[in-house]
Amino acid sequence: MTTAEQSPALAPLRQARERFLTGRPLPDGVPDDVVAAWRRARFFGVRPDLDGPVRESAQPADSPLLEAARPALTRIAPALDAGRTALVLTDERLRVLWSTGSAPGDDTCADLSEREVGHNSAAFALRTRRRAEVHGPEHFLDVWQDVSAVSVPLFSPETGQVLGTLTVARALWAGCRPHPGAALAEAAAAAVEAELRARPRTAERALLDAYERAARGRERAVIALDGRNRLISEAAAGLASPQVLEALERGARARGRDTGESYDVPLPEDAGCTAEITPVRHEGRVIGLVAVLAPRPVEPGPEPSTPRPGGALVGGSVAWRHAVARATELFRTPGPVLVTGERGTGKTALALELLDGTDPLVVDAAESPELGLKDGEWEVASAGEWGRTGDRPLLLRHAERLSQPDVAALNSLLEEQPDARLIATHTPGTSPGPCLQRLLDTLAACSVTLPALRERPEDIRELLPALTPGPAPGSPPLTWTLDALRALEQHPWPGNVTELAHLVRALAGTRRVFGPVRRGELPDPVREGPAGRTLSPMELAERSAILEALRRHGGNKARAATALGIGRATLYRKLREYQGRDAPNRPRP
């Protein structure tokens, strides 16, 4: 009998997991995020009975995170109960960079992504950007049924982006939360982030100095890149298209092959600008480049065509590149494809981009949920040809809005024609009925989930030019101040790319001033930043205890932490977490 079976508190979850794995309906009370994670694991084809290492993931050749974290983790490692506790460091792709100690099942994988091992605390923390715990039967894998784990995301001190995660795993803990290793995980994360802040960043400083020298004295269009960081002046933002930036990034990544004082990077023919490239050197090696842009003289000729709106394939983030590559790979193989994601993430735009040149039939279940699919034929006139011949691809939008008879008929049709050229888009929401769930399960192996815009804020700067309509004759293109860009990147965008597109078009059509868009011109919710999340009852109680301890000890954080039985690093982290939430009652530092 496993520990999970012995724990009365976890018995309902264990039973729910068994019902899920055997395809039976789930009982009430199972957390939505756990069920969603189990379903993603099933979509990805993860085997719950994994009993050996998953395939090795490619480890980064040069990991600045590991280099900075190793000294701090080495100091913490002796404090572990090595026979019962494991400490694990991953990067932003959840590849294991470093680990020490041991816990049940901790030697089974070098990749903690959900695509490889299903639900776990590291993937949960990376997705939510906050501390996450996963206990016993919440895991998808059998080998982790006796494991409790807590993970804390690691943030870049400079950009605020998630660099990786730190996980403390131990034998199953069935008591009340927080996890016994939560304080250790947070202390380790604080130590690693302190190392990141304290590390000498001479190479980045050399790049910044070169950028400032090139831009000094006048408004020059200057871009500095090193393959990871990108500095762009306001003048350059109006000249450099995403294609130009990509070409310069390729030049920065290939910088080590050049030893000259200056060199050229091939730009696209329609770039509209030229670039004078100068390599940036540090300690005898080229660490990046600085590009000074100048407008290319305009030759008389036909007016350029308006760029295709939507930015369907625009984005350089890891999550977006992976999703687009996955969708492209699926489309190249015979059979249906399912594109899922929140509303406004670009499901239809991506599908149309993939179907470009194939003359697809488009059917929207949101406009007509009863499409009348009978005997292998669509009664709707626009889709009848697909039902009879099957030689034209069909784009079925909003599959979640199909009526049950149509879903059942579509299931039968796909059983008879497993290679049907179908792309279906699906927006998760309410629990699907049995017929729709069967359809989703059928398409799970050929599905791709598009990330929400809040999960790839670094793509916003590339999306803006693609979403901006062409300027009127004689008007300058729409550009943005750095403060406005930061506000856009910090907004949660519940409507995702569609919401961003509406904002950009509204600004382009209504503003009557020249110069870059400033933060003050943005709508109130975007300008003022995301609203604070309402605290849970447990968080409210915890915050009240911290405030009371600070009051009793005259604001002395060290004494308050001692009285609460937590470390100062944990207290500081708690104060940072609560800052900005529930503003009228937030703790004062």
Side-chain angles (χ1 to χ4, degrees):
M1 180 178 293
T2 66
T3 310
E5 291 170 329
Q6 296 172 348
S7 169
L10 295 175
L13 268 176
R14 176 180 59 81
Q15 295 168 0
R17 177 178 177 272
E18 291 176 355
R19 294 180 69 87
F20 178 84
L21 294 178
T22 54
R24 291 177 290 170
L26 294 179
D28 296 333
V30 184
D32 291 341
D33 53 5
V34 174
V35 176
W38 289 348
R39 286 175 176 164
R40 286 194 298 271
R42 182 171 60 187
F43 276 20
F44 295 147
V46 179
R47 293 183 51 184
D49 59 348
L50 177 73
D51 56 1
V54 300
R55 61 179 177 83
E56 291 288 334
S57 59
Q59 296 298 317
D62 177 23
S63 174
L65 175 61
L66 177 58
E67 186 179 349
R70 194 188 299 275
L73 298 180
T74 303
R75 291 195 302 269
I76 294 172
L80 294 175
D81 182 353
R84 301 178 55 191
T85 305
L87 181 63
V88 181
L89 171 72
T90 75
D91 64 7
E92 78 283 358
R93 293 172 55 186
L94 295 174
R95 297 173 296 184
V96 174
L97 301 176
W98 181 93
S99 64
T100 188
S102 64
D106 72 333
D107 58 347
T108 58
C109 64
D111 188 330
L112 298 183
S113 65
E114 285 190 339
R115 186 173 294 275
E116 297 294 341
V117 296
H119 190 41
N120 64 89
S121 62
F124 198 8
L126 189 70
R127 187 170 65 254
T128 61
R129 294 174 62 90
R130 53 182 304 195
R131 191 184 78 198
E133 300 182 15
V134 176
H135 299 271
E138 293 177 336
H139 291 100
F140 191 75
L141 295 186
D142 295 342
V143 293
W144 286 344
Q145 296 304 294
D146 288 337
V147 176
S148 282
V150 57
S151 297
V152 177
L154 296 169
F155 296 99
S156 167
E158 295 150 342
T159 65
Q161 294 180 349
V162 178
L163 301 177
T165 66
L166 262 175
T167 299
V168 174
R170 50 158 287 167
L172 187 63
W173 170 259
C176 296
R177 303 190 182 202
H179 185 283
L184 175 60
E186 291 188 340
V192 171
E193 289 177 353
E195 290 282 351
L196 289 169
R197 286 190 296 269
R199 281 177 56 81
R201 307 192 65 81
T202 52
E204 288 83 352
R205 172 54 61 183
L207 184 69
L208 178 59
D209 289 345
Y211 169 80
E212 291 178 343
R213 285 195 301 270
R216 184 176 300 159
R218 50 181 173 156
E219 289 294 325
R220 303 181 72 190
V222 178
I223 301 176
L225 315 96
D226 64 0
R228 291 180 300 175
N229 304 297
R230 182 189 292 177
L231 302 170
I232 306 178
S233 70
E234 291 187 12
L239 281 176
S241 66
Q243 293 75 21
V244 169
L245 292 175
E246 178 59 30
L248 293 174
E249 288 284 6
R250 287 196 298 268
R253 289 191 289 267
R255 60 187 180 268
R257 297 194 294 268
D258 197 286
T259 58
E261 290 301 320
S262 63
Y263 57 98
D264 292 328
V265 172
L267 300 181
E269 293 183 0
D270 58 349
C273 64
T274 60
E276 179 185 348
I277 310 295
T278 303
V280 180
R281 298 179 179 277
H282 175 67
E283 295 182 351
R285 65 186 182 93
V286 177
I287 56 121
L289 59 84
V290 170
V292 179
L293 306 185
R296 180 174 291 169
V298 179
E299 298 179 1
E303 296 204 2
S305 59
T306 304
R308 188 170 180 172
L313 300 182
V314 174
S317 64
V318 174
W320 182 250
R321 291 203 312 268
H322 176 80
V324 171
R326 166 80 172 162
T328 304
E329 178 185 359
L330 289 172
F331 184 73
R332 289 173 179 169
T333 60
V337 178
L338 176 66
V339 183
T340 68
E342 297 179 7
R343 62 184 179 90
T345 50
K347 301 183 292 294
T348 299
L350 177 60
L352 290 173
E353 195 77 34
L354 296 175
L355 291 167
D356 187 32
T358 62
D359 189 23
L361 294 163
V362 181
V363 175
D364 193 340
E367 298 177 358
S368 178
E370 296 184 359
L371 302 175
L373 177 62
K374 297 177 181 178
D375 301 326
E377 291 191 5
W378 293 94
E379 291 185 349
V380 174
S382 63
E385 184 178 344
W386 185 81
R388 290 191 298 272
T389 65
D391 58 351
R392 294 177 65 187
L394 171 68
L395 171 57
L396 173 60
R397 301 184 61 204
H398 302 108
E400 70 280 358
R401 304 288 293 274
L402 279 176
S403 64
Q404 184 168 332
D406 280 332
V407 177
L410 184 57
N411 280 324
S412 300
L413 183 62
L414 290 177
E415 288 181 359
E416 299 172 2
Q417 303 179 31
D419 292 338
R421 298 287 286 167
L422 165 69
I423 294 185
T425 70
H426 173 255
T427 303
T430 58
S431 298
C435 285
L436 180 57
Q437 186 60 58
R438 179 186 168 196
L439 175 64
L440 297 178
D441 291 343
T442 300
L443 300 177
C446 51
S447 68
V448 57
T449 301
L450 301 190
L453 186 56
R454 64 180 175 276
E455 297 171 354
R456 54 183 189 112
E458 61 269 36
D459 289 343
I460 288 179
R461 301 193 185 197
E462 295 185 41
L463 282 166
L464 290 173
L467 299 174
T468 303
S475 300
L478 199 65
T479 58
W480 310 78
T481 64
L482 291 177
D483 196 31
L485 289 173
R486 292 190 193 99
L488 295 176
E489 292 169 345
Q490 292 169 359
H491 187 63
W493 298 111
N496 293 293
V497 179
T498 300
E499 182 183 357
L500 177 62
H502 287 319
L503 182 148
V504 171
R505 286 197 290 268
L507 280 173
T510 60
R511 71 190 308 256
R512 296 293 181 264
V513 296
F514 292 99
V517 177
R518 301 183 179 277
R519 190 185 189 109
E521 299 179 62
L522 301 177
D524 289 347
V526 182
R527 179 175 65 247
E528 296 171 1
R533 178 182 61 81
T534 303
L535 300 178
S536 68
M538 181 176 291
E539 289 173 323
L540 286 170
E542 183 180 57
R543 187 190 62 178
S544 298
I546 291 174
L547 291 176
E548 177 62 21
L550 287 171
R551 186 191 63 78
R552 283 190 283 108
H553 294 280
N556 188 305
K557 295 184 178 66
R559 293 178 182 175
T562 302
L564 292 168
I566 60 177
R568 278 187 297 174
T570 301
L571 179 64
Y572 293 147
R573 180 178 290 276
K574 292 292 184 185
L575 292 174
R576 287 198 303 270
E577 287 180 356
Y578 294 139
Q579 185 175 6
R581 299 179 187 170
D582 207 11
N585 300 312
R586 64 184 174 198
R588 297 181 183 275

